[in-house]
Amino acid sequence: MNTDKHGFKAILLRHETILLFVVLLEWLYFNSVGPRFGSVDNTFDIMRHSVEIGLLALVMTPIILTGGIDLSVGSLLGLCAILFGKFWRDAGMSIPLAAACTIGIGALAGGLNATLITWLRLPPLIVTLGTFSLFRGLAEAITRGADTFTNFPASFLFLGQERWLGIPAQAPIFILVAIGIWLLVHRTTFGRSFRAIGFAPEGTRYAGISVERRLAMAYVLAGIIAAVAAIIYTSRLGQAKADAGMGYELFAITAVVLGGTSIFGGVGTVHGTLLGVAAIAVLNNGLVHARQPREVAGMLTGLLLILALTSSIISKMLASLNARRQTSVTKPIIT
Amino acid sequence: MTKSFGAVRALKGVSFDLHAGEVHALLGENGAGKSTLIKVITGAHQPDGGSIKINGESVSQLTPASAHKLGIACIYQQPALFPDLTVAENIGLRLESASVFRKVNWAIRQQRAAELLKRIGAEISPDAEVRSLSMPEQQLVEIACALGAGARIVIMDEPTASLTQKEQHLLFAVVKDLRASGVGVIYISHRLEEIFALADRVTVLRDGESVGTNKVGEMNESSLIKLMVGREVSAIYPPSESAAGNVVLSLKNLGCAAGGVENISLDVRAGEIVGMAGLVGAGRTELARVIFGITPADSGEILLNGQRITISTPKEAVAHGIAYVPEDRRRHGVILEMPIAHNMTMAIHDRVFPGTWLRFGAERQLALDFTHDLGVKAYGPDAPGGSLSGGNQQKVSLARWLATKPKLLILDEPTQGVDVGAKSEIHKIIRRLAKEGLAVLMISSDLPEVLGMSDRIAVMRGGTITAMLLAKTDAHEVMAAALGKQN
């Protein structure tokens, strides 16, 4: 039966599969062009550089599944980085305590988004556009645009710069978050509710599901993970400035959409998002090895997004054409 | 004239004529075919058969644009004006010839608007923003547009539904003026007194057929109601087999200002089907939404099995064992993009998925059980809700709520837009549920359905219950109560 989603042809035509091929092609191409591209060191480099955007893309996925968006995560990363530095240097907290407080701040900031969206019933685009400015503005006000936090202890820099069990030290955190979000979206009733809200928010309410609570959960989670990303970012660069994570929200959204999640909500997967992150990260790193100017990266990312989306739409059209041809012949019915 | 939608024939050979300088009232139950007839006349729908003649000339291929040119204008309950533009601009948009680049002559536009408004005796400034006008004032602007377009046929669809007494009189005066100036008016209303005050002739539609055109002077209220209801309830409804048990739901002076319902007192017993009749807009769906916590009550009490409860969200209603199969199946009842299995478990996540972890096997089994039990025709539990026919979608919606094992089931138009076969299947299911001891509150605009299925009938009008009738009542009585008439 053609409608079987586990058929070989169906898997081949799935968006994630197409994207996997794109990533592999990118890899093969850059490996043939840049001699050092395929090395273990460079692979870990790609990982290190994509962890923060990857984290943001992971938590953006449930939000976009509900039909929402969070433009504030990049700015929140900046604010959290600054506050983390502030807690450690000026408030004299230990690194673990400062990290815990920073994560608390992230949760509060996510809570602010959630409150405005669910209580005042404002569109997420407008709310997070507001907090996008607010969080960045706060970060700049706190540092007066000049203060930079540096000289973190080596034990903290280990997290962002060293290896642990042979892999970049921040990778285990990313893997844990990825598994957590994957389970949340694909294996729990929360994920089911996110999708339902994305398809029909009113219909979900009529089914007795608390739409507000589910939405709040998605935005608070985004705030928490943005704070985690801020700590990793600070550790990787060894410094925290007010412009940390500038523009990251757009990279994250691009990765999610590239990964096949519908911007209208309801449809999408976490593994798609991971592939989206990989496609962008490999492209950006590979272009350096191919000795291309940096501007090309943005252009190609855009092109990649458009190509990936068109190809998956075309394959979907083909699939539905096939399905129609099939069902017109035999119509299996269960009664 | 005939018009079919899919398998449903909305109009079956209706003949209708309108003279110049006449007010011709159109009357009928909800779903009798009034709206369809209007849509055919205004060119929004193409008839499948029959002909339309205007001034003796046969008109074929009527479109909204050509109907407009022929002088047909329709004024709906909700005026279709641009709220942010002024009255003069709105009138100008309707009446001035349209081309891409054209200079607006503001003086002429202003003057014409003022003249038209004066002609209908409306004291509205042409410069007023439409947003600032009341509903009747907006209707007057619509009438002005119709006049300005030289309309010879003006259709008014329940124009007084939202008007106060005073505003009605103003509107009546305008309608009488229109008639005096030779315009033919088709007047649709549920309010019988208006028809007697205004109309010259009246045509009654029933089930898509015209059951007679009469001079208003020859009719009285009772004979009109008889015409509207007409047929006897046929024996196609399964007989009631259950004896009513304890009171499950008891409403005491329940009200909700935001929902437009007030002072509702009602008991529903276990094993009993209470039908809710009334016209569209009588507040029946609004009452269901209050009980289900979508628009929570702000006065009165809800008692469930004798215990006072408060319900402020649908989640709480579900927790108390209240289920609501909503009227708008495609927006609220079923999530069309989701597999029917997911739809069926939506209200029982806690029960099928303890600890929030999805259990696909249990879900699939539950969906298979319900598809089998209710006779849902779909290719499997993975079929998206949108791929099913209306009747089967309704069964999915029903399955979702039966899965919650409710104490009280509220059905809102359970067979609306459902084909005849599925309709009688749904009726059998409802009967069976009542027999098993479920308390059922069934809202329906289908009068034979209410009469055939209910043990008792509550009639609503103007946001409150105006009559409680026993099962063996006749349609005439229900309709009279819904229209607010004592015989």
Side-chain angles (χ1 to χ4, degrees):
Chain A
M1 191 169 33
N2 199 354
T3 43
D4 183 5
K5 56 181 174 186
H6 304 296
F8 179 68
K9 215 171 148 189
I11 287 179
L12 213 61
L13 281 173
R14 219 183 280 166
H15 182 89
E16 289 87 340
T17 321
I18 296 171
L19 196 57
L20 184 64
F21 279 116
V22 170
V23 176
L24 286 177
L25 278 176
E26 277 181 5
W27 185 275
L28 290 175
Y29 172 73
F30 289 125
N31 201 26
S32 68
V33 179
R36 272 195 58 255
F37 178 81
S39 67
V40 174
D41 274 353
N42 189 53
T43 307
F44 286 170
D45 216 35
I46 295 177
M47 279 189 185
R48 276 210 182 91
H49 279 92
S50 50
V51 159
E52 293 106 42
I53 288 174
L55 286 172
L56 297 184
L58 280 171
V59 281
M60 189 71 77
T61 309
I63 289 179
I64 295 185
L65 278 178
T66 66
I69 198 140
D70 190 343
L71 295 176
S72 72
V73 286
S75 299
L76 183 56
L77 193 155
L79 178 61
C80 284
I82 289 303
L83 287 175
F84 175 69
K86 206 88 180 144
F87 288 146
W88 168 71
R89 192 191 69 187
D90 298 350
M93 293 183 190
S94 66
I95 291 286
L97 185 59
C101 287
T102 306
I103 289 171
I105 295 284
L108 279 179
L112 176 66
N113 280 334
T115 309
L116 292 171
I117 289 164
T118 57
W119 277 19
L120 301 182
R121 295 181 185 271
L122 291 170
L125 183 76
I126 306 295
V127 168
T128 59
L129 191 62
T131 50
F132 160 82
S133 285
L134 177 70
F135 296 155
R136 184 68 70 194
L138 275 173
E140 279 162 0
I142 290 169
T143 58
R144 295 194 182 77
D147 203 357
T148 306
F149 300 90
T150 50
N151 294 325
F152 288 100
S155 58
F156 172 64
L157 297 180
F158 180 88
L159 172 70
Q161 299 171 3
E162 301 297 323
R163 288 190 196 177
W164 184 64
L165 299 178
I167 53 169
Q170 62 265 60
I173 298 179
F174 180 78
I175 292 166
L176 276 180
V177 173
I179 292 172
I181 302 275
W182 191 89
L183 288 174
L184 178 78
V185 167
H186 295 284
R187 285 291 179 269
T188 69
T189 55
F190 297 110
R192 184 65 70 72
S193 307
F194 293 151
R195 277 177 212 283
I197 293 168
F199 284 130
E202 271 301 287
T204 310
R205 208 159 113 76
Y206 271 78
I209 290 172
S210 174
V211 172
E212 286 76 18
R213 266 189 232 171
R214 297 291 180 276
L215 286 179
M217 178 185 179
Y219 287 93
V220 171
L221 190 65
I224 291 171
I225 297 298
V228 172
I231 295 164
I232 294 175
Y233 178 96
T234 310
S235 170
R236 175 166 65 86
L237 295 181
Q239 62 166 9
K241 283 200 314 193
D243 66 352
M246 188 96 77
Y248 275 23
E249 62 284 335
L250 291 185
F251 284 117
I253 293 167
T254 307
V256 173
V257 175
L258 185 61
T261 299
S262 162
I263 200 75
F264 302 111
V267 181
T269 62
V270 173
H271 37 282
T273 296
L274 290 174
L275 286 168
V277 172
I280 293 175
V282 170
L283 183 68
N284 277 283
N285 179 281
L287 286 172
V288 176
H289 285 263
R291 298 183 185 286
Q292 294 293 321
R294 289 190 60 161
E295 303 82 66
V296 181
M299 223 170 67
L300 284 180
T301 308
L303 213 60
L304 186 65
L305 184 67
I306 291 165
L307 272 178
L309 292 182
T310 15
S311 69
S312 85
I313 284 170
I314 288 171
S315 76
K316 228 174 262 169
M317 272 157 56
L318 286 176
S320 77
L321 257 178
N322 269 334
R324 209 169 300 162
R325 220 172 285 150
Q326 292 258 323
T327 46
S328 62
V329 183
T330 50
K331 209 174 201 171
I333 283 174
I334 294 176
T335 54
Chain B
M1 199 180 286
T2 59
K3 171 73 199 173
S4 307
F5 296 101
V8 184
R9 285 182 85 191
L11 285 181
K12 305 165 193 163
V14 171
S15 294
F16 182 85
D17 62 330
L18 176 71
H19 303 307
E22 173 193 50
V23 176
H24 193 152
L26 199 54
L27 201 59
E29 286 179 73
N30 304 327
K34 294 175 310 228
S35 311
T36 314
L37 180 61
I38 296 311
K39 282 178 180 153
V40 170
I41 297 174
T42 54
H45 286 330
Q46 302 301 319
D48 303 326
S51 64
I52 303 174
K53 282 183 185 170
I54 293 173
N55 281 352
E57 278 172 46
S58 207
V59 185
S60 61
Q61 293 296 320
L62 204 58
T63 62
S66 67
H68 183 74
K69 275 205 196 93
L70 286 164
I72 299 170
C74 187
I75 291 142
Y76 295 98
Q77 262 179 61
Q78 297 289 328
L81 299 166
F82 296 98
D84 294 311
L85 299 182
T86 66
V87 171
E89 283 167 337
N90 265 290
I91 295 178
L93 274 174
R94 294 276 180 93
L95 302 184
E96 290 163 18
S97 66
S99 59
V100 182
F101 292 106
R102 191 170 45 85
K103 200 158 168 274
V104 174
N105 189 328
W106 289 98
I108 288 180
R109 182 180 270 192
Q110 201 78 5
Q111 198 189 344
R112 171 151 60 181
E115 267 172 25
L116 287 171
L117 290 169
K118 202 175 158 208
R119 246 177 87 191
I120 56 169
E123 289 169 9
I124 302 170
S125 159
D127 295 323
E129 257 185 37
V130 165
R131 188 181 290 287
S132 70
L133 300 182
S134 68
M135 196 62 89
E137 285 175 328
Q138 294 190 26
Q139 281 175 339
L140 289 177
V141 174
E142 287 266 8
I143 296 172
C145 288
L147 268 182
R152 289 174 294 173
I153 300 168
V154 174
I155 302 163
M156 299 178 137
D157 191 357
E158 295 204 50
T160 57
S162 53
L163 302 196
T164 65
Q165 201 80 27
K166 204 178 141 212
E167 291 163 344
Q168 278 179 33
H169 285 304
L170 188 72
L171 186 79
F172 287 179
V174 173
V175 172
K176 282 174 181 161
D177 276 354
L178 285 176
R179 171 168 61 188
S181 61
V183 175
V185 178
I186 301 175
Y187 192 90
I188 300 169
S189 177
H190 280 310
R191 300 189 188 180
L192 297 184
E193 65 268 24
E194 288 178 9
I195 287 163
F196 287 103
L198 211 54
D200 303 304
R201 289 190 298 160
V202 55
T203 293
V204 177
L205 291 184
R206 193 205 306 149
D207 293 337
E209 282 175 277
S210 167
V211 289
T213 301
N214 296 293
K215 287 216 170 72
V216 167
E218 296 166 359
M219 305 293 290
N220 59 34
E221 284 179 359
S222 178
S223 58
L224 267 184
I225 292 174
K226 204 168 276 170
L227 272 178
M228 284 168 71
V229 177
R231 88 224 110 153
E232 292 300 307
V233 180
S234 56
I236 54 164
Y237 294 93
S240 170
E241 302 169 22
S242 53
N246 297 330
V247 174
V248 173
L249 175 80
S250 179
L251 307 177
K252 292 204 161 58
N253 303 318
L254 194 72
C256 170
V261 292
E262 53 181 16
N263 205 12
I264 304 272
S265 294
L266 178 71
D267 285 349
V268 185
R269 290 164 206 281
E272 181 185 44
I273 300 174
V274 174
M276 276 230 130
L279 300 168
V280 167
R284 295 169 302 163
T285 296
E286 289 73 8
L287 173 61
R289 288 163 53 95
V290 171
I291 301 174
F292 196 59
I294 295 164
T295 47
D298 53 19
S299 62
E301 294 179 20
I302 302 175
L303 281 84
L304 197 70
N305 286 334
Q307 285 199 308
R308 197 183 159 177
I309 56 169
T310 53
I311 299 170
S312 47
T313 61
K315 193 182 163 74
E316 288 174 26
V318 176
H320 282 301
I322 296 173
Y324 174 49
V325 177
E327 177 182 16
D328 193 337
R329 183 167 59 228
R330 300 177 63 85
R331 273 183 61 214
H332 301 145
V334 176
I335 295 188
L336 301 175
E337 296 88 346
M338 282 191 141
I340 56 175
H342 296 195
N343 267 297
M344 287 178 182
T345 55
M346 261 183 95
I348 48 162
H349 277 176
D350 301 352
R351 206 172 305 164
V352 215
F353 310 125
T356 78
W357 296 105
L358 297 178
R359 291 165 62 213
F360 296 109
E363 176 170 59
R364 199 183 159 79
Q365 193 52 51
L366 185 133
L368 281 173
D369 289 348
F370 271 108
T371 33
H372 184 77
D373 192 31
L374 301 183
V376 180
K377 289 182 188 65
Y379 68 69
D382 293 331
S387 70
L388 274 59
S389 71
N392 284 301
Q393 283 177 9
Q394 189 69 339
K395 287 182 191 168
V396 171
S397 180
L398 197 56
R400 173 193 291 175
W401 291 109
L402 295 183
T404 66
K405 301 199 174 69
K407 299 181 188 112
L408 170 75
L409 177 66
I410 306 172
L411 300 162
D412 198 347
E413 305 287 358
T415 60
Q416 196 175 60
V418 162
D419 63 274
V420 183
K423 191 168 169 173
S424 89
E425 282 177 58
I426 291 173
H427 287 150
K428 280 187 196 126
I429 295 167
I430 298 171
R431 263 285 177 257
R432 195 184 77 202
L433 293 169
K435 196 182 168 192
E436 288 164 10
L438 192 62
V440 180
L441 184 61
M442 185 186 74
I443 298 167
S444 174
S445 294
D446 185 343
L447 201 46
E449 178 174 86
V450 171
L451 292 167
M453 294 292 297
S454 312
D455 297 311
R456 287 186 302 142
I457 299 166
V459 185
M460 281 191 78
R461 176 178 156 85
T464 196
I465 294 177
T466 52
M468 278 305 304
L469 306 166
L470 285 172
K472 301 298 166 230
T473 187
D474 64 346
H476 183 269
E477 212 174 327
V478 176
M479 191 46 90
L483 291 163
K485 288 286 140 203
Q486 309 300 325
N487 294 347

